[in-house]
Amino acid sequence: MIYSLLRPLIFLLDAEAAHRLTVRVLARGPAPRPRPSDARLARHLLGLDFPNPLGLAAGFDKNGEVTDAALGLGFGFVEVGTVTPRPQAGNPRPRVFRLPRNRAVINRLGFNNDGFDVVARRLAARRGRGIVGVNVGPNRDSADRAADYVAGVSRFAAVADYLAVNVSSPNTPGLRDLQASAALSDLLARLARARDAAARRIPILVKIAPDLDAAALAATVETSLSVGIDGMIVANTTVTRDGLTDRDRAGESGGLSGRPLFHRSTVALAKVRRLAGNDLVLVGVGGIDSAATAWDKITAGADLVQVYTGMIYEGPGLARRIVTGLAERLDREGVVSIADVVGREADRWAGLDA
Ligand SMILES: Cc1cc2nc3c(=O)[nH]c(=O)nc-3n(C[C@H](O)[C@H](O)[C@H](O)COP(=O)(O)O)c2cc1C
């Protein structure tokens, strides 16, 4: 496997420089053509036909530069962003740190991105097909953060397949306060109205933190259901540092992702699934790095799953390995469709402590 030979060299670079290099290579090379995945992995959700349930999580292709290359790697969908209305530089570097012993990353990028107009134009010019969502957030210095999200609906309705509303990044001061119930119900109601008024209906999913307590999770689900939000993405990075043995970097501020996030984010997902029943589409993300962990996320309650940090450690072949591994698992379990196993372990996961 080539990546295992290249990884020590890539890891000599600062994490953000390595990421920039990867995006450049993917953007220049001919996009690998998506191969059809096993029909048993397909899902029809949000009015869209997902060829398989594995997506590339937000933050990898922040500016929509490599969507077709990512789809060619085997992903069933790609989430671009977070994009803010105006371009912004983000926090001072260094701001991304690897914790190899824990197969984890801490980042405090702070929404560095090209802004709505550049990214929307890039998506409009895409040649490939395949499902692309856009994750939106407010500018750090915005006077009206809710208006920034709402502007994303009209800006991206024609060029994206779904909109993810990021109220859970730990790296924009005060952002996560939008998850408090009064602020959130006001924001989500405005978004749902904007969606219903747009020329083309774009499904809206709200992306939450894995650090919400049971009461906050319940309030978020209730609000999403009552205003008619389409789904939830569970979860963003955590501000906790439990279980880290890689002490060198554990003290860096920012959001922690990768293997140490798997348990916490899966328990939160299962709780949301139990509260929402089948009325919300749920995307499970956090710590997936194999077909086995993707399977566990799905049986805990995820209709769709996403990865980011796992790819840093396992390489670009991970998507294909997960998709193939999920199909093999269906064979072994004698199940005819991946949809049939969604949430079958939700009760057990929801009973565990985070
Ligand atoms: C370097 C980096 C940048 C990220 N940027 C974003 C972002 O811009 N918006 C967002 O919603 N999530 C962002 N995330 C969070 C991921 O989308 C995902 O929710 C989280 O990393 C957990 O998944 P993982 O363990 O597979 O990485 C970022 C994660 C990393 C590691």
Side-chain angles (χ1 to χ4, degrees):
M1 196 192 114
I2 301 172
Y3 191 72
S4 57
L5 300 173
L6 282 178
R7 198 175 70 184
L9 294 174
I10 296 175
F11 277 21
L12 290 175
L13 298 172
D14 154 76
E16 189 171 349
H19 175 256
R20 197 58 231 154
L21 177 69
T22 309
V23 169
R24 265 200 210 132
V25 169
L26 286 174
R28 291 227 177 131
R33 287 242 239 128
R35 289 186 233 150
S37 33
D38 193 307
R40 296 171 302 170
L41 297 178
R43 297 293 317 267
H44 184 76
L45 298 162
L46 306 167
L48 302 167
D49 286 310
F50 290 84
N52 71 62
L54 179 69
L56 179 59
F60 182 87
D61 188 11
K62 279 186 186 272
N63 295 309
E65 296 167 285
V66 292
T67 50
D68 293 333
L71 292 162
L73 292 174
F75 287 103
F77 66 108
V78 173
E79 188 169 311
V80 164
T82 294
V83 192
T84 57
R86 284 172 287 111
Q88 64 179 32
N91 291 319
R93 298 182 195 200
R95 52 194 183 173
V96 186
F97 308 91
R98 293 185 207 97
L99 293 79
R101 263 173 287 164
N102 293 117
R103 298 240 158 185
V105 164
I106 292 174
N107 92 80
R108 51 168 178 271
L109 287 162
F111 294 168
N112 53 310
N113 77 99
D114 292 344
F116 279 6
D117 287 342
V118 168
V119 174
R121 274 202 297 272
R122 218 170 257 146
L123 294 180
R126 265 182 77 207
R127 282 204 303 233
R129 294 163 185 275
I131 298 175
V132 176
V134 175
N135 178 308
V136 294
N139 280 108
R140 185 188 170 102
D141 59 359
S142 168
D144 184 352
R145 288 183 168 179
D148 282 9
Y149 290 101
V150 173
V153 177
S154 53
R155 198 70 192 82
F156 291 107
V159 295
D161 294 301
Y162 71 85
L163 201 75
V165 175
N166 183 0
V167 288
S168 48
S169 167
N171 302 316
T172 294
L175 188 80
R176 286 171 302 151
D177 298 345
L178 284 167
Q179 293 175 111
S181 54
L184 190 71
S185 62
D186 182 54
L187 172 64
L188 295 185
R190 281 179 67 182
L191 284 162
R193 280 199 299 276
R195 175 197 62 195
D196 297 341
R200 177 169 175 266
R201 186 187 191 280
I202 183 167
I204 296 177
L205 292 87
V206 56
K207 183 167 179 179
I208 63 168
D211 304 327
L212 297 180
D213 62 21
L217 284 177
T220 309
V221 171
E222 199 188 299
T223 303
S224 299
L225 289 172
S226 72
V227 305
I229 287 298
D230 300 275
M232 287 172 62
I233 304 175
V234 187
N236 215 314
T237 55
T238 176
V239 295
T240 65
R241 294 290 184 265
D242 303 339
L244 292 186
T245 51
D246 208 324
R247 287 274 134 215
D248 306 353
R249 292 297 193 189
E252 296 291 350
S253 66
L256 172 71
S257 59
R259 203 172 271 177
L261 177 59
F262 182 77
H263 181 84
R264 167 178 288 270
S265 58
T266 307
V267 170
L269 166 74
K271 287 182 171 156
V272 170
R273 175 55 80 192
R274 292 224 310 184
L275 292 160
N278 289 327
D279 297 334
L280 292 173
V281 170
L282 300 185
V283 183
V285 48
I288 293 174
D289 59 4
S290 62
T293 43
W295 179 270
D296 287 346
K297 200 70 115 177
I298 292 167
T299 58
D303 291 298
L304 302 167
V305 294
Q306 292 176 323
V307 291
Y308 184 166
T309 306
M311 247 204 349
I312 295 174
Y313 292 101
E314 301 296 329
L318 179 65
R320 199 87 70 197
R321 287 199 295 280
I322 290 179
V323 172
T324 311
L326 287 174
E328 287 167 2
R329 187 75 182 254
L330 290 178
D331 289 334
R332 284 212 300 284
E333 309 251 343
V335 178
V336 292
S337 164
I338 193 79
D340 294 343
V341 305
V342 171
R344 80 176 184 192
E345 299 285 333
D347 289 350
R348 183 175 65 78
W349 276 102
L352 301 175
D353 289 331

